[in-house]
Amino acid sequence: MSLFLTSCDEEFLDPTRASEVDVFSSRDGLVGVANGLQSRFSVGRQSPFGYAIITANGFTTNELGAPQGGNADEVALFAGSGEVLPVNGVVSTIWAQSLILNSEAQKVINNIDRISLPVEKASILVHASIFKALALGNLIQFFERVPISTEKNAVFNSRAEVLAVVIKTLEDTKTLLPSATGFSGLVGNLNYTNTVNALLARFYLMSGSPSDLDKAFEHATLVNLSIRSSFPFDAVNQNSIAATAFLVANNYQPIGRTLGLPAALQPATADGRINFYINPISTSSAVKGAGFWSSVGSSVPVYLPGEMILIRAEVLARKNQLPQAIIEINRILQKTVASDAWGVGANLPAYSGAADQASVLTEIYRNRCIELFMSGLKLEDTRRFNRPASGTVGAERNRNWYPYPDSERFNNTNTPADSAN
């Protein structure tokens, strides 16, 4: 009996794998975890951004068409409301993988002093901070409350609290940005300075107070719109939406050339952005997606130049500086394929609609829906612009928030009640 009890207390370790202490106490371990953050976030159907966020958001806001019946989770998201259950696999992926990202990124941040070289230290810290901000910032767009900490029975934080942490995480990197260059040990394609400023612009806008709107405008202006920042893919680490949806016939496609918008908001027939996102050979009965998901090796932007221009336009419109807001709208409408870093160009005439605040804000929302199609941002936009909600006439989203996965509820007694829809 004594031997039996002793054996039960033993910790059996896999000799082929490093322990967590070993990983986070070494320079090589921290570099490996930092690179793993980008892979976890963007690679594979199990990743939050690489598949789940864009897919869930697309079905919830009518960007994506009816999925094949065998894909039960996607079918439920397309139906919306009470059909989206706490066991939905796509929703659970957003939740679980984002929480893991937050936890792993924080561990890198906590152990950053184990890196001695300034360039490496700055690069790894900025890299981890970006993914922590993305993890929490994305979660709060889909769930009413989110736990910031990773402890057992973690308390759920309010939207304002979560966005405050997201913004502080990014703000804390600013002094490091000049040094966060020249380190080749991390996955490429992320321009740290532009990415931090772009994400600060995005999340300050979501925060929404007058002072935060000014900050959103300031950071959007700091982004160099000619420089790309993206998540890369290749034949091995594939673009999952291309591989599992757009290039095959057994999952889903965009809803059509209207981009799922109501009649009053649909893009003009001549809008060049339609043929960017929807393959021109598409028919009404056989829609084929394109854009950033046209091949398994297609890169997906962290942000688009158009998002930054539209953030500036929205801030100006909400501050009732309407002539200046219209100037920014025209930068979007008259932008050509050649003048955009990613080739997203409307190539349309200048705005000729009404110049009152409500009309200008509607035009900004319309262009966000077109310019940022399948960016994963539309559910947030529908709420911020007070568009018709689930359960109302002309609803532009079929759910307001997602339910908390059972995996959380069964293991955390602090899990709040689910939103009704």
Side-chain angles (χ1 to χ4, degrees):
M1 180 64 74
S2 175
L3 290 171
F4 176 77
L5 291 174
T6 301
S7 68
C8 287
D9 289 335
E10 291 288 344
E11 180 184 7
F12 294 96
L13 301 176
D14 181 348
T16 66
R17 298 181 64 184
S19 70
E20 182 172 302
V21 172
D22 292 335
V23 168
F24 290 101
S25 64
S26 71
R27 177 261 186 199
D28 290 345
L30 288 168
V31 172
V33 174
N35 280 319
L37 296 174
Q38 182 157 330
S39 177
R40 181 181 291 276
F41 183 72
S42 61
V43 177
R45 189 164 175 171
Q46 77 287 348
S47 67
F49 183 76
Y51 183 83
I53 286 171
I54 293 173
T55 298
N57 181 85
F59 283 124
T60 300
T61 61
N62 207 38
E63 290 180 327
L64 301 176
Q68 295 296 318
N71 299 304
D73 293 329
E74 288 84 350
V75 169
L77 286 162
F78 183 64
S81 194
E83 295 300 313
V84 182
L85 302 175
V87 294
N88 187 284
V90 178
V91 172
S92 295
T93 292
I94 298 173
W95 182 261
Q97 295 299 317
S98 295
L99 289 179
I100 293 172
L101 272 164
N102 176 46
S103 175
E104 295 295 288
Q106 188 60 52
K107 290 173 186 175
V108 174
I109 294 168
N110 291 345
N111 289 278
I112 198 63
D113 286 339
R114 298 182 185 277
I115 306 291
S116 57
L117 293 178
V119 169
E120 292 186 2
K121 184 175 183 178
S123 299
I124 294 168
L125 181 55
V126 172
H127 190 90
S129 298
I130 286 170
F131 285 98
K132 178 181 175 67
L134 283 169
L136 291 175
N138 284 325
L139 276 174
I140 205 61
Q141 295 177 63
F142 297 99
F143 300 93
E144 288 184 285
R145 297 178 70 86
V146 172
I148 294 170
S149 68
T150 57
E151 61 193 357
K152 183 176 177 62
N153 276 337
V155 173
F156 279 63
N157 298 91
S158 69
R159 176 182 176 83
E161 290 170 333
V162 173
L163 285 173
V165 168
V166 168
I167 288 167
K168 185 179 186 305
T169 299
L170 293 167
E171 287 281 5
D172 286 348
T173 69
K174 281 184 172 180
T175 58
L176 300 169
L177 290 174
S179 301
T181 58
F183 176 45
S184 61
L186 294 173
V187 179
N189 292 67
L190 284 181
N191 180 282
Y192 291 138
T193 298
N194 282 300
T195 297
V196 166
N197 282 316
L199 293 180
L200 279 168
R202 178 184 296 174
F203 293 122
Y204 270 124
L205 182 71
M206 290 181 190
S207 188
S209 71
S211 61
D212 286 342
L213 289 178
D214 290 338
K215 289 286 190 179
F217 187 94
E218 172 191 337
H219 287 92
T221 304
L222 290 172
V223 177
N224 185 333
L225 302 186
S226 67
I227 295 177
R228 291 185 176 192
S229 194
S230 66
F231 301 113
F233 301 98
D234 54 36
V236 176
N237 300 298
Q238 296 186 346
N239 180 314
S240 291
I241 290 176
T244 65
F246 283 17
L247 299 183
V248 295
N250 66 347
N251 202 336
Y252 63 75
Q253 294 289 338
I255 203 161
R257 296 179 67 82
T258 65
L259 307 186
L261 291 169
L265 300 179
Q266 288 174 7
T269 304
D271 193 325
R273 295 170 292 186
I274 301 175
N275 284 343
F276 181 86
Y277 287 115
I278 308 297
N279 193 315
I281 69 171
S282 297
T283 65
S284 57
S285 60
V287 178
K288 293 183 178 295
F292 303 112
W293 308 274
S294 58
S295 75
V296 296
S298 297
S299 295
V300 179
V302 181
Y303 62 88
L304 280 172
E307 181 186 358
M308 299 301 107
I309 297 170
L310 288 165
I311 287 173
R312 287 169 52 93
E314 184 176 340
V315 171
L316 290 165
R318 294 194 185 280
K319 292 165 69 73
N320 216 29
Q321 298 176 24
L322 302 179
Q324 295 93 326
I326 291 172
I327 290 173
E328 300 297 328
I329 291 172
N330 288 336
R331 290 178 65 191
I332 290 292
L333 293 176
Q334 298 179 304
K335 180 160 56 71
T336 64
V337 170
S339 65
D340 184 86
W342 287 96
V344 183
N347 200 26
L348 292 171
Y351 175 68
S352 60
D356 61 282
Q357 188 180 45
S359 298
V360 171
L361 282 170
T362 298
E363 180 66 11
I364 292 167
Y365 171 74
R366 186 177 80 89
N367 276 282
R368 283 187 66 92
C369 293
I370 301 168
E371 184 88 4
L372 310 181
F373 183 68
M374 285 186 65
S375 63
L377 296 170
K378 188 177 176 183
L379 179 58
E380 175 73 24
D381 287 352
T382 64
R383 291 192 301 261
R384 193 172 68 258
F385 283 87
N386 296 315
R387 303 302 301 178
S390 174
T392 62
V393 176
E396 293 179 28
R397 57 182 182 269
N398 64 30
R399 264 200 84 94
N400 299 316
W401 305 97
Y402 293 148
Y404 299 104
D406 280 347
S407 59
E408 185 70 27
R409 187 170 300 285
F410 294 160
N411 291 283
N412 186 346
T413 57
N414 290 316
T415 307
D418 291 331
S419 171
N421 57 47

